[in-house]
């Protein structure tokens, strides 16, 4: 990333986000496959571990100390959403909690930062692979020192696509299964890896050609959306419009496949 072309304010935010993602990631790496407390939240399959809470506490406390005027929206409830500075941090301290709890090696720290309501800075860190995805609006998306760009796949039949299922899947009839079947029958392959933030980064990196999911939350997508956009990908809702601030309903692709994926979202 050409740091000389980034505004000093953005650079300060980026450097803090990189440092916090790295420190929270180190906790996850150290606690992975050890004994930790696991509880349920909204449903019996919606988990939170003490590592989620520990990582969130570290990130929130550091932001409050360094930038007390910034707003913070964090998944496990830390921080104050109101911002006096125009900057707002949206944090998923551990995205992929089910994987983490089962020792399945796919989870990350996700930190997205908005300035005056616009996505400005994004960091997603996979601690096991030591992969630091990051982006600044207008300065590209990067994996370490490598600039990212989406795949060139133009045929859904040659596409690797990912999705996910919400924690109400046992009870809800709006369960994504019809869309899953429609994409399964058209794409080269389909994955359900269990980390929305990494799924989005993988679209940005060209490892996946597209990803969609419904019933997500702001912290699942705040960082990943900017990383996809800065890698020349496209993110919309299922109707092709802007992703809602709630994060609920996201379709991400390499742009070439967007119309084809949106078409498969119709049930
Ligand atoms: C979840 C993961 C998963 C997605 C769920 C998310 P969490 O986040 O991103 O891939 O399918 O919808 O809630 O609970 O592990 O932070
Ligand atoms: Ca999440
Ligand atoms: Ca989480």
């Amino acid at each position: 990333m050409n740091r000389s072309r980034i505004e000093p304010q953005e650079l300060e935010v980026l450097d803090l986000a990189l440092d916090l993602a790295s420190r929270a990631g180190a906790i996850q790496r150290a606690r992975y496959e050890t004994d930790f407390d696991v509880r349920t939240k909204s449903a019996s399959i919606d988990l939170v571990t003490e590592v989620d809470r520990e990582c969130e506490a570290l990130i929130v406390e550091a932001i409050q100390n360094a930038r007390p005027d910034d707003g913070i929206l964090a998944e496990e409830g830390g921080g104050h959403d109101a911002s006096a500075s125009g900057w707002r941090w949206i944090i998923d301290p551990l995205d992929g909690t089910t994987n983490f709890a089962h020792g399945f090696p796919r989870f990350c720290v996700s930190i997205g930062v908005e300035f005056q309501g616009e996505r400005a800075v994004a960091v997603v860190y996979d601690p096991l692979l030591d992969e630091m995805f990051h982006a600044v609006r207008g300065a590209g998306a990067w994996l370490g020192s490598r600039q990212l760009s989406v795949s060139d796949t133009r045929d859904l039949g040659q596409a690797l696509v990912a999705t996910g299922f919400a924690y109400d899947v046992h009870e809800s009839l709006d369960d994504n299964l019809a869309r899953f079947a429609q994409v399964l029958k058209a794409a080269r392959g389909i994955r359900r890896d269990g980390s929305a933030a990494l799924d989005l980064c993988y679209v940005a990196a060209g490892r996946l050609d597209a990803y969609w999911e419904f019933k997500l939350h702001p912290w699942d997508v705040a960082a990943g959306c900017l990383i996809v956009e800065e890698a020349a990908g496209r993110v919309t809702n299922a109707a092709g419009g802007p992703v809602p601030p709630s994060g609920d309903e996201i379709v991400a692709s390499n742009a070439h496949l967007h119309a084809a994926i949106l078409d498969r979202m119709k049930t």
Side-chain angles (χ1 to χ4, degrees):
M1 187 174 276
N2 187 344
R3 294 172 66 91
S4 63
R5 285 170 51 190
I6 302 173
E7 298 283 326
Q9 277 259 32
E10 284 174 337
L11 215 47
E12 191 183 308
V13 168
L14 173 67
D15 285 341
L16 181 56
L18 288 168
D19 179 52
L20 296 177
S22 166
R23 285 162 58 192
I27 294 175
Q28 294 172 15
R29 204 161 40 234
R31 304 293 298 279
Y32 180 58
E33 291 189 306
T34 64
D35 277 339
F36 44 75
D37 180 61
V38 182
R39 297 187 185 179
T40 58
K41 295 199 290 184
S42 65
S44 63
I45 59 170
D46 181 6
L47 307 179
V48 58
T49 75
E50 62 180 285
V51 182
D52 297 71
R53 289 193 295 265
E54 198 180 319
C55 290
E56 180 165 309
L58 176 146
I59 295 169
V60 167
E61 196 186 318
I63 297 167
Q64 284 173 334
N65 286 337
R67 303 179 55 91
D69 292 337
D70 292 2
I72 300 176
L73 174 66
E75 178 176 11
E76 310 308 338
H80 295 286
D81 203 9
S83 168
S85 62
W87 291 92
R88 182 166 173 260
W89 297 66
I90 306 171
I91 297 152
D92 193 333
L94 202 172
D95 184 53
T97 297
T98 306
N99 289 345
F100 186 80
H102 284 258
F104 186 91
R106 189 167 162 76
F107 49 86
C108 64
V109 185
S110 174
I111 302 177
V113 197
E114 296 175 349
F115 183 63
Q116 291 177 345
E118 299 286 325
R119 290 189 276 271
V121 173
V123 171
V124 173
Y125 181 52
D126 175 338
L128 295 184
L129 290 179
D130 191 22
E131 290 194 321
M132 185 69 84
F133 298 90
H134 55 290
V136 173
R137 166 81 58 209
W142 299 77
L143 170 48
S145 57
R146 175 161 70 91
Q147 184 158 16
L148 298 177
S149 75
V150 291
S151 71
D152 195 40
T153 309
R154 285 151 199 266
D155 173 0
L156 193 52
Q158 295 177 0
L160 187 60
V161 183
T163 188
F165 299 92
Y167 291 125
D168 66 0
V169 70
H170 288 183
E171 299 85 34
S172 174
L173 291 177
D174 180 15
D175 55 14
N176 201 26
L177 285 174
R179 292 182 204 99
F180 183 83
Q182 289 192 175
V183 176
L184 179 67
K185 298 287 183 186
R188 176 178 282 168
I190 194 160
R191 299 287 180 268
R192 194 289 189 251
D193 291 333
S195 166
L198 283 177
D199 289 332
L200 287 164
C201 291
Y202 280 24
V203 172
R207 295 171 179 175
L208 290 169
D209 302 293
Y211 160 74
W212 88 92
E213 189 162 344
F214 290 73
K215 303 185 185 178
L216 287 172
H217 298 286
W219 43 81
D220 298 311
V221 301
C225 279
L226 181 62
I227 292 171
V228 172
E229 286 171 348
E230 285 297 317
R234 202 164 158 215
V235 284
T236 69
N237 66 8
V243 176
S246 63
D248 176 17
E249 209 175 285
I250 182 161
V251 182
S253 79
N254 65 2
H256 309 298
L257 287 170
H258 214 77
I261 285 284
L262 288 182
D263 195 50
R264 295 275 153 176
M265 296 296 104
K266 295 176 190 148
T267 54

